[in-house]
Amino acid sequence: MANGNHTVVYFSEQVVVLFSCGLSLLGSSLIILTYVIWPDLRTAPRKLLVYLSVSDLLSAASYAYGVWRAFRTDSLDCVVQGAISTFANTSSFFWTVAIAVYLYVFIVRSSQRVADSLELIFHLVSWGVPLIITTAGVCLKKIGYDASEVSVGWCWVRISAPDHILWMLLTGKIWEFLAYITLPVLYILIKRHIHIAHAALSEYRPILPNRPLSHSTSLADMKLTLIPIIFIILRIWSTVRFILLLAGSSARQSPVLVTLHGIGNTLQGAANCIMFVLFTQPIRARLCATLCCCSKHRAETQHSHDAPHRLLPGGDTLTHRDEDSTSRAQAET
């Protein structure tokens, strides 16, 4: 399982983590694409989500390259991959917290002006701090081969560096720990404020307590609960391996733990896509309509292409069958 201070990454683990990277690449791209093609859905929180998706996209791509290469020694592409993934992963932490801070200021503090004014600060912190840390790590030769001790084939902090624990904290772990605390607190405060506001409104409109919450309200409430939970579930395996490294335990080299770590670190983009695209009714409806239109266009193209064949025996029957299929598709949409 391990050879000295090196965690072996098996082929099956590579396949699973590469698949996870692919899902995140697809999910992050879909979030960005929906923001670009539908201007009326470009809200401020969704714009912040796009910035987060750019980080997740870059992170998933760099992790995919690292898992595919399964580095076993220092090299130029190892350092480059480690630098990109360090920057993108740290940036992802900051943007995730930035979205929570924006929602807190906007909803709890009831100040859209203040919330919107925070965007410049978010950019300076979420891009600037990771860039400074990563640049310092590369210049001081701290980024490189880490023997998969707290990774899954990719490069991160050079394991041979005497102060590698400090640099692991600076390049990710300390921000991860802060996110574990900040995200649940902010989203709990947001949920509490919403519930208090709803209860206060019910006093003036007695009909509200007798009416069930709308589907959209229930879904929004569920999202506020799931966002920090999903973040922690995905990231906790990386934290567990880091703690086991500090403790000197060989349990950090367990294939199950290594696989969970690989999936958790690379699946954030896909999780965000599910939460903010597939579980968001207006965007989901537009995606379905777009897919249906594309299918209908292909069917009409094929229908035109097959038109000359309708003069053959049985052509009328085929035509009626196509028309019936089109009618059913239109009825379903």
Side-chain angles (χ1 to χ4, degrees):
M1 184 180 302
N3 182 13
N5 197 36
H6 172 72
T7 300
V8 176
V9 178
Y10 297 107
F11 178 73
S12 58
E13 296 168 354
Q14 288 180 273
V15 171
V16 171
V17 178
L18 281 172
F19 180 71
S20 176
C21 289
L23 290 178
S24 272
L25 288 170
L26 180 62
S28 299
S29 299
L30 190 58
I31 291 174
I32 298 170
L33 184 63
T34 55
Y35 183 84
V36 170
I37 63 178
W38 291 315
D40 57 310
L41 296 179
R42 295 177 188 173
T43 61
R46 190 157 289 275
K47 180 163 61 172
L48 298 181
L49 179 63
V50 168
Y51 299 140
L52 171 60
S53 298
V54 171
S55 296
D56 290 335
L57 184 70
L58 192 59
S59 179
S62 61
Y63 281 146
Y65 180 79
V67 173
W68 172 71
R69 286 278 280 112
F71 292 103
R72 290 180 173 81
T73 184
D74 266 320
S75 61
L76 178 60
D77 59 339
C78 170
V79 175
V80 172
Q81 180 271 309
I84 294 174
S85 62
T86 297
F87 168 78
N89 195 46
T90 307
S91 178
S92 179
F93 290 147
F94 282 109
W95 280 117
T96 301
V97 174
I99 293 173
V101 171
Y102 181 93
L103 293 176
Y104 173 81
V105 174
F106 180 70
I107 297 174
V108 179
R109 297 302 178 185
S110 302
S111 178
Q112 183 175 358
R113 183 182 60 83
V114 174
D116 290 341
S117 68
L118 292 174
E119 184 177 343
L120 178 59
I121 298 175
F122 291 155
H123 279 289
L124 292 175
V125 174
S126 300
W127 300 125
V129 173
L131 182 61
I132 292 172
I133 293 173
T134 303
T135 302
V138 172
C139 292
L140 296 174
K141 297 183 179 180
K142 303 299 182 180
I143 304 296
Y145 177 64
D146 74 340
S148 295
E149 288 294 85
V150 196
S151 70
V152 187
W154 57 77
C155 291
W156 183 29
V157 174
R158 186 173 278 117
I159 198 68
S160 60
D163 53 353
H164 62 274
I165 298 297
L166 172 62
W167 278 95
M168 286 180 178
L169 288 170
L170 288 175
T171 57
K173 292 305 166 188
I174 191 171
W175 315 115
E176 193 173 66
F177 293 143
L178 289 175
Y180 287 154
I181 299 171
T182 305
L183 291 177
V185 169
L186 288 176
Y187 282 112
I188 287 173
L189 290 175
I190 294 170
K191 280 172 60 69
R192 179 174 176 271
H193 176 83
I194 293 174
H195 289 165
I196 290 175
H198 180 77
L201 185 61
S202 299
E203 294 180 5
Y204 296 95
R205 297 173 63 186
I207 194 173
L208 287 178
N210 297 324
R211 292 173 58 187
L213 289 173
S214 67
H215 176 70
S216 59
T217 302
S218 300
L219 193 56
D221 189 69
M222 182 184 70
K223 284 183 182 179
L224 292 175
T225 303
L226 290 180
I227 289 171
I229 292 176
I230 290 176
F231 178 85
I232 293 173
I233 289 175
L234 291 178
R235 295 291 183 172
I236 195 65
W237 313 109
S238 170
T239 304
V240 169
R241 288 192 71 201
F242 176 70
I243 294 173
L244 291 174
L245 175 67
L246 295 180
S249 172
S250 60
R252 69 183 182 277
Q253 299 167 334
S254 164
V256 174
L257 190 56
V258 170
T259 302
L260 290 173
H261 176 190
I263 294 173
N265 265 43
T266 58
L267 200 62
Q268 189 67 54
N272 288 338
C273 179
I274 293 172
M275 290 287 292
F276 299 109
V277 175
L278 302 184
F279 281 4
T280 302
Q281 198 278 332
I283 299 180
R284 185 175 67 248
R286 295 193 184 198
L287 283 175
C288 291
T290 301
L291 291 175
C292 290
C293 287
C294 290
S295 300
K296 182 179 178 181
H297 178 71
R298 284 197 299 268
E300 290 175 349
T301 302
Q302 184 66 29
H303 188 72
S304 300
H305 177 73
D306 293 339
H309 299 286
R310 292 174 190 162
L311 298 177
L312 296 175
D316 290 338
T317 304
L318 180 60
T319 300
H320 290 308
R321 189 181 302 129
D322 289 340
E323 289 173 352
D324 291 340
S325 300
T326 303
S327 300
R328 285 197 300 272
Q330 290 174 341
E332 291 174 357
T333 57

